[in-house]
């Protein structure tokens, strides 16, 4: 089984240096956190859109690096994090520029604040990723995915409703199983 990894979503215009440092620091540990970064993981000669979609499907979550450009309406980042939502992945916003406004659909999510220092933000991110792997964190992630699926159902076309309803039923089953595992009603 492949090691869980986090997809890093960012703007090359104003976030490339940030994410290279972030990826290196996360990989260095402790604990080591595996990431997928287009700059390092895209394979030559293979359609990059397909590689990105595959990484989004397979990731444990999306680390969304919020900078002035990455939150702009025309940023490619929106396509990535909305695809992550479609795949019911946890989106973890990382605030790097104070001027970056959290996108509307992500506003309910608390961001990890890097604006008061990289090391403090990195420590908080590590703590959060560690928590996501705990039984309580897994339960929270399942519930978060269920909420996202319900939101998607309301917005979906008629042709997609059956698939989303199946996802909702499966998530509810997984939540019940996880709650039994950890002894929660």
């Amino acid at each position: 089984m492949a090691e869980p990894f986090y997809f890093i979503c960012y703007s090359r215009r104003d976030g490339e240096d940030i994410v290279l440092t972030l990826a290196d620091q996360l990989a260095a540990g402790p604990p080591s956190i595996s990431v997928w970064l287009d700059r390092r993981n895209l394979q030559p000669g293979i359609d990059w859109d397909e590689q990105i979609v595959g990484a989004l499907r397979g990731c444990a979550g999306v680390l969304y690096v919020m900078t002035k450009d990455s939150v702009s309406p025309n940023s490619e980042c929106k396509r990535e994090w909305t695809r992550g939502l479609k795949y019911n992945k946890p989106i973890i916003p990382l605030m790097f520029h104070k001027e970056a406004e959290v996108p509307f659909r992500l506003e309910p999510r608390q961001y990890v604040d890097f604006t008061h220092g990289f090391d403090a933000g990195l420590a908080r991110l590590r703590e959060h990723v560690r928590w996501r792997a705990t039984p309580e964190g897994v339960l929270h992630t399942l519930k978060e995915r269920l909420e996202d699926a319900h939101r998607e159902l309301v917005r979906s076309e008629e042709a997609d409703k059956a698939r989303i309803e199946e996802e909702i039923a499966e998530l509810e089953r997984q939540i019940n199983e996880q709650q039994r595992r950890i002894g929660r009603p």
Side-chain angles (χ1 to χ4, degrees), residues 15-48:
E16 191 163 18
D17 291 340
I18 292 167
V19 297
L20 291 172
T21 301
L22 179 64
D24 290 343
Q25 291 295 313
L26 289 171
S32 179
I33 297 169
S34 184
V35 298
W36 192 95
L37 181 60
D38 63 349
R39 199 74 164 148
R40 294 183 175 162
N41 294 94
L42 285 174
Q43 297 298 312
I46 301 173
D47 184 296
W48 66 272

Side-chain angles (χ1 to χ4, degrees), residues 17-136:
D17 291 340
I18 292 167
V19 297
L20 291 172
T21 301
L22 179 64
D24 290 343
Q25 291 295 313
L26 289 171
S32 179
I33 297 169
S34 184
V35 298
W36 192 95
L37 181 60
D38 63 349
R39 199 74 164 148
R40 294 183 175 162
N41 294 94
L42 285 174
Q43 297 298 312
I46 301 173
D47 184 296
W48 66 272
D49 282 338
E50 290 178 22
Q51 292 181 69
I52 289 172
V53 167
L56 284 165
R57 275 196 176 132
C59 71
V62 176
L63 303 178
Y64 175 36
V65 175
M66 294 190 311
T67 58
K68 287 180 245 175
D69 189 66
S70 74
V71 299
S72 70
N74 298 325
S75 174
E76 283 294 309
C77 292
K78 184 175 183 179
R79 290 180 60 212
E80 292 175 352
W81 62 256
T82 56
R83 183 63 66 103
L85 286 175
K86 179 180 177 182
Y87 296 150
N88 297 318
K89 301 297 180 178
I91 311 297
I92 304 168
L94 311 177
M95 180 68 74
F96 276 88
H97 291 164
K98 288 180 184 178
E99 304 82 20
E101 186 174 347
V102 178
F104 177 77
R105 286 182 67 194
L106 299 179
E107 272 187 356
R109 289 167 168 80
Q110 177 61 43
Y111 57 82
V112 177
D113 192 352
F114 280 81
T115 64
H116 297 293
F118 184 87
D119 291 340
L122 182 64
R124 179 71 180 111
L125 177 58
R126 280 185 190 290
E127 176 185 313
H128 182 69
V129 168
R130 226 176 288 144
W131 173 78
R132 285 245 181 213
T134 68
E136 289 291 333

Side-chain angles (χ1 to χ4, degrees), residues 8 12 29 34 68 75 79-80 102 106 110 118 123 130 139 143 151 157-158 160-161 168 172 178:
I8 299 182
R12 284 192 180 187
S34 184
K68 287 180 245 175
S75 174
R79 290 180 60 212
E80 292 175 352
V102 178
L106 299 179
Q110 177 61 43
F118 184 87
R130 226 176 288 144
L139 180 60
K143 288 179 176 181
R151 275 191 290 277
E157 300 288 326
E158 197 59 41
D160 293 328
K161 288 193 185 294
I168 288 171
E172 288 171 342
Q178 184 69 10

